[in-house]
Amino acid sequence: MKFNDLPINAVLFELIDALRRRGRAVLQAPPGAGKTTVVPLAMLKANLTSGKILVLEPRRLATRAAAERMAETLGEPVGQTVGYRMRGETKVSKSTRIEVVTEGILTRMIQSDPALTGIGAVIFDEFHERSLNADLGLALVWESRAALREDLIVLVMSATLDANPVAKMLDAPVVTSAGRAFAVQTHWLKRPTAKTRWFEDAVADLVVKATEHTAGGILVFLPGEREIRRLESKLAGQVPSDCTLYPLFGAMRFDAQRAAIQPVKTGRKIVLATAIAETSLTIAGISTVVDGGLARRARFDPGSGMSRLVTERVSKAEAEQRRGRAGRVEAGQCFRLWTKGEEGGLTPFPPAEVEDGDLSTLVLDLAVWGARNTDDMAFLTTPNPGGIAAARALLGQLGALDQNWAITEHGRKLAALPLHPRLAHMLLLGGPLAPTLAALLGERDPLRGASVDLLLRRDALNQPKQSNTNASAINRLRTEAKRLSKFASTQSSLNWAELVALSYPDRIGLRRAGDAPRWILSGGKEAVMDGHDPLANTRLIVVTDLDGDARQARIRQAIAITEPELRGLYGKEFHWQNTCYWSARARRIETRQQEMFGAVVLQDRHWENAPAAEIAAAALDGVRALGLPLNDTSRRFCARIELTRQGGAQMPDMSENGLLDRLSDWLLPHLANIKTAADIRAMDLLEPLRESLSWQQLKQLDQLAPGQFTTPMNRKVAIDYTGDAPAI
């Protein structure tokens, strides 16, 4: 497709006019329209601003590819009129007018210069992905525009997002472009895939079918690197000999990524890709898409404070994005691994990251900005309150926020580093070993499936051949460690276990008694480990990776730590706590003195001479757990009172629920010597119940519902008002 033939050209005049008049707009343009590379150049040509045009992209590969494509259009090398900037790599010059950056770069820029001096326009590309950085970046830019930069041009571009909400938030006009220039024929399965069938087997069959019924390149969408490697192995020997397989995922070297998106000289190529290929990129030679229908997302559980990667069905919007890849350069075909009927069950859009992501970095960045309440910021979706609370708790432990959730000086230093706050904290305080560990914890596990012991990863870095580790993964980690070393502290010399504990104060675990390898974590949750793992019998560990299960998280990576090491780091936070509680398991009151670190109990001993008031309060819980020990005499007394209440007398509620609701009012003074379930069962509640009534109420009770009557033979007989006694 020629540059001038792209569909976006039909709406450029309308878009430029809206930006000139209003200074803001929302562009809705489906895949293949050309918005990423055409719009910034058109804005530059229209001379909308004398400042630099900043283009935000969600991924590194898309950032570089977009800059290269625009520079090629101008007939220039990258770094002149068009440049790019990403973590660890910059290619710009004094003549750069369009700068393509990854989304996190904008946050750093606006934090250091809220007025965005020298920036004339900010373009949020692929905003439909709703990453944390994009949502935060838009909120910060919008507030900066309102307070400091009324002239700042803001353009939000999206392929599948419902444009109306963001347009309403920005009070901006919506410009809509036509979509693909070429038709895409969609094929669905005739019947659902059997649940017992391996995912990669089903995808492999669909790829083979696609090779038989199409010509040209094939793009296969898979949820992650693991599935890509498995499918690559299965397809070897099944596809025609003229087909070459190219993996494409975020952790690959850039030269390998480039090979996947460039044209091949001979034959056909089959690209096995993650969601990295959904947007912004035009992969040369692709006319067919095979969609496995799965996506991998990071989910954060506020209850456990743990993130996990989950594999889910794609949304309709994501499926449409993927389908559009087949029609970028010519008419194409899309093969979907689901039936047309199953498509109705797909959600319309993927969730925004502010709804279920780890909000630690967002909360830290907002604190640097001076915003303690997300309601004051222009977020398209309100950040998850549970996620905000969990983030504040962690940042407080790291010393990044004070008790009022305001940023500390240490917090400002953490925010200045391009790392998760945990790793930034470790890097600033940990010493010379910290960069290597930060790189390892910040990247994918190079020994997935091995023992959970983090020290095995250290050994793999030192001796990769002996550990049979992927060489490219090791080189990537070493490069990242070298980059991070310039931020590291030289003031301390902590070992690996101490460094991990510094980063994960909420993940320090104490093994529970018993055969099963089970730990209580300092954050209050429980975690388990495979019983055959070498760390399974370790008393104290620090956990760096869990599957995030809210009920019982499984440990995927951890390191052993000694108690002296832990005390050396957090000795001031250890404290003794006296506790008196009803044990449902022992069916008695337990009185303990415990040395605590968070929820971890390091020492536990009997609490001699526990106060009677504490024992009585715990006994109340025992009564609540076991139920009221009402005998026949007590029940008849309560029935008399209930009868008078029904007649209008001012009496307390003596139903069982009413008694339990007021338990501390009438029973607490009588529990000083109650310590076991047997003691509770042996209690006679008649006197406590009588004492809960005033003298006037007792007199009224005897008048309205006497407890007994005297027979002609002068024999006193109890009257039963419960309705259960036999007639006299």
Side-chain angles (χ1 to χ4, degrees):
M1 178 182 288
K2 294 181 181 179
F3 187 75
N4 291 333
D5 293 337
L6 290 167
I8 194 68
N9 286 288
V11 298
L12 282 181
F13 178 82
E14 180 186 358
L15 177 63
I16 297 299
D17 182 61
L19 293 174
R20 197 184 301 278
R21 288 185 298 104
R22 301 288 301 279
R24 56 193 182 274
V26 176
L27 174 61
Q28 195 169 27
K35 61 184 180 301
T36 298
T37 53
V38 174
V39 169
L41 291 174
M43 292 172 61
L44 181 65
K45 184 178 180 180
N47 199 27
L48 287 179
T49 173
S50 59
K52 187 180 293 185
I53 298 172
L54 212 60
V55 184
L56 272 68
E57 293 293 339
R59 296 180 177 88
R60 294 167 62 88
L61 178 59
T63 300
R64 195 193 305 238
E68 290 177 345
R69 181 72 178 92
M70 284 188 279
E72 180 186 356
T73 301
L74 296 175
E76 299 177 353
V78 175
Q80 292 188 10
T81 303
V82 182
Y84 65 82
R85 189 189 305 269
M86 62 184 75
R87 188 182 73 179
E89 186 177 357
T90 300
K91 206 160 190 179
V92 297
S93 66
K94 293 181 179 179
S95 60
T96 299
R97 296 292 312 283
I98 298 174
E99 189 171 321
V100 190
V101 302
T102 47
E103 292 169 338
I105 296 293
L106 173 64
T107 304
R108 304 279 82 79
M109 293 174 68
I110 200 168
Q111 295 283 27
S112 60
D113 178 13
L116 288 176
T117 305
I119 305 296
V122 181
I123 302 175
F124 293 83
D125 193 19
E126 309 296 358
F127 191 73
H128 60 270
E129 294 200 12
R130 300 298 310 282
S131 70
L132 271 178
N133 281 326
D135 275 20
L136 174 62
L138 182 58
L140 296 178
V141 165
W142 196 241
E143 183 159 297
S144 175
R145 188 181 190 274
L148 302 170
R149 288 289 309 279
E150 292 184 359
D151 63 314
L152 185 65
I153 295 172
V154 178
L155 173 60
V156 176
M157 303 198 302
S158 171
T160 57
L161 178 74
D162 178 5
N164 291 327
V166 67
K168 182 179 179 180
M169 186 182 80
L170 303 180
D171 187 25
V174 177
V175 178
T176 302
S177 168
R180 294 174 300 275
F182 300 99
V184 176
Q185 183 181 4
T186 306
H187 307 273
W188 292 271
L189 298 181
K190 293 181 179 179
R191 61 185 62 86
T193 304
K195 294 182 178 179
T196 55
R197 195 169 189 219
W198 284 98
F199 170 72
E200 291 84 0
D201 290 336
V203 178
D205 287 350
L206 201 56
V207 172
V208 171
K209 180 180 178 181
T211 63
E212 295 171 349
H213 292 84
T214 66
I218 299 174
L219 174 59
V220 186
F221 281 103
L222 299 158
E225 178 185 353
R226 179 176 53 189
E227 290 81 4
I228 287 174
R229 295 304 187 191
R230 287 176 179 172
L231 184 61
E232 186 179 19
S233 176
K234 288 181 180 296
L235 287 177
Q238 290 195 55
V239 296
S241 58
D242 66 334
C243 292
T244 305
L245 300 173
Y246 290 89
L248 179 59
F249 51 89
M252 293 172 61
R253 299 190 320 272
F254 181 71
D255 58 345
Q257 292 178 338
R258 186 188 290 275
I261 66 176
Q262 288 183 334
V264 290
K265 294 181 179 179
T266 60
R268 304 168 66 184
K269 70 176 176 181
I270 301 176
V271 180
L272 312 179
T274 62
I276 191 176
E278 279 182 15
T279 58
S280 301
L281 295 173
T282 297
I283 302 178
I286 296 298
S287 58
T288 300
V289 163
V290 174
D291 190 353
L294 297 178
R296 190 156 290 146
R297 317 183 200 283
R299 296 282 192 186
F300 183 71
D301 173 22
S304 65
M306 302 170 191
S307 290
R308 56 174 173 162
L309 285 174
V310 297
T311 303
E312 301 177 334
R313 296 293 300 272
V314 294
S315 66
K316 290 179 181 178
E318 289 168 310
E320 187 61 19
Q321 279 281 96
R322 295 177 176 189
R323 178 179 178 270
R325 300 292 99 180
R328 295 296 292 265
V329 293
E330 59 181 293
Q333 299 192 57
C334 175
F335 294 80
R336 288 175 168 171
L337 193 66
W338 63 88
T339 66
K340 197 168 185 178
E342 289 177 301
E343 193 155 303
L346 300 181
T347 59
F349 297 98
E353 201 174 350
V354 294
E355 296 179 88
D356 52 21
D358 182 349
L359 302 185
S360 302
T361 300
L362 180 138
V363 170
L364 182 62
D365 286 332
L366 286 176
V368 172
W369 190 252
R372 304 185 201 179
N373 189 346
T374 56
D375 294 340
D376 298 335
M377 304 293 293
F379 281 104
L380 186 58
T381 301
T382 302
N384 185 319
I388 293 290
R392 285 174 170 171
L394 172 63
L395 293 171
Q397 284 184 294
L398 298 179
L401 300 181
D402 64 20
Q403 294 180 342
N404 298 315
W405 312 126
I407 192 74
T408 64
E409 186 58 35
H410 181 59
R412 291 187 184 279
K413 293 177 181 178
L414 298 188
L417 297 184
L419 287 169
H420 188 282
R422 290 184 189 273
L423 303 183
H425 178 67
M426 177 182 69
L427 201 62
L428 289 179
L429 301 180
L433 296 180
T436 300
L437 183 53
L440 181 59
L441 295 176
E443 296 286 340
R444 290 178 174 85
D445 185 358
L447 293 180
R448 182 177 293 173
S451 164
V452 305
D453 194 349
L454 189 60
L455 292 181
L456 291 179
R457 281 78 184 164
R458 178 197 64 186
D459 297 341
L461 283 172
N462 294 332
Q463 298 175 316
K465 291 184 179 180
Q466 293 186 16
S467 60
N468 195 28
T469 306
N470 183 279
S472 62
I474 295 299
N475 291 335
R476 188 172 64 249
L477 288 170
R478 287 174 174 170
T479 300
E480 178 65 1
K482 184 177 180 180
R483 186 184 72 86
L484 295 177
S485 62
K486 61 185 177 182
F487 304 114
S489 163
T490 58
Q491 300 299 315
S492 61
S493 56
L494 300 179
N495 64 33
W496 272 51
E498 293 166 331
L499 287 170
V500 176
L502 199 64
S503 296
Y504 294 86
D506 54 331
R507 305 272 187 89
I508 293 162
L510 177 71
R511 197 183 192 282
R512 287 187 178 276
D515 295 332
R518 193 180 308 273
W519 286 260
I520 183 70
L521 303 184
S522 50
K525 297 299 176 180
E526 194 172 86
V528 297
M529 188 187 297
D530 188 299
H532 300 291
D533 196 278
L535 286 186
N537 293 313
T538 307
R539 178 175 178 258
L540 282 168
I541 61 174
V542 189
V543 180
T544 60
D545 189 22
L546 299 124
D547 67 4
D549 187 283
R551 186 180 63 85
Q552 192 176 80
R554 181 164 290 277
I555 298 169
R556 296 192 294 215
Q557 195 176 92
I559 191 169
I561 190 169
T562 67
E563 191 168 322
E565 289 170 338
L566 189 58
R567 289 183 183 276
L569 284 174
Y570 293 112
K572 293 181 180 179
E573 297 182 33
F574 285 46
H575 64 278
W576 282 93
Q577 175 178 296
N578 295 332
T579 179
C580 183
Y581 64 96
W582 175 262
S583 170
R585 187 173 184 178
R587 295 171 65 81
R588 63 172 291 116
I589 292 172
E590 297 283 0
T591 55
R592 315 299 303 173
Q593 288 184 313
Q594 298 171 328
E595 188 182 26
M596 309 287 296
F597 175 70
V600 168
V601 180
L602 290 161
Q603 293 190 66
D604 185 12
R605 64 195 184 203
H606 179 63
W607 182 11
E608 299 285 352
N609 303 317
E614 297 271 0
I615 293 174
L620 274 184
D621 291 333
V623 173
R624 292 188 182 100
L626 299 174
L628 288 168
L630 293 168
N631 57 24
D632 290 344
T633 305
S634 301
R635 291 185 185 280
R636 286 197 295 268
F637 181 78
C638 292
R640 291 170 60 198
I641 296 175
E642 285 299 291
L643 182 64
T644 63
R645 287 182 71 239
Q646 294 173 14
Q650 295 297 312
M651 295 286 185
D653 183 356
M654 288 289 183
S655 67
E656 191 154 352
N657 286 338
L659 289 172
L660 287 171
D661 288 343
R662 299 182 295 104
L663 204 59
S664 59
D665 296 332
W666 65 273
L667 188 56
L668 188 62
H670 302 271
L671 295 177
N673 297 315
I674 302 299
K675 295 183 179 179
T676 68
D679 293 340
I680 291 174
R681 287 195 301 269
M683 291 179 67
D684 184 352
L685 298 185
L686 181 59
E687 280 308 306
L689 290 170
R690 288 182 61 84
E691 289 182 16
S692 69
L693 300 180
S694 66
W695 180 84
Q696 291 85 353
Q697 286 173 322
L698 285 171
K699 182 177 180 182
Q700 186 181 23
L701 178 64
D702 288 337
Q703 292 172 346
L704 298 177
Q708 59 188 14
F709 73 94
T710 304
T711 68
M713 301 296 294
N714 206 31
R715 184 166 65 92
K716 293 182 178 180
V717 178
I719 303 175
D720 193 338
Y721 294 90
T722 64
D724 297 330
I728 297 177

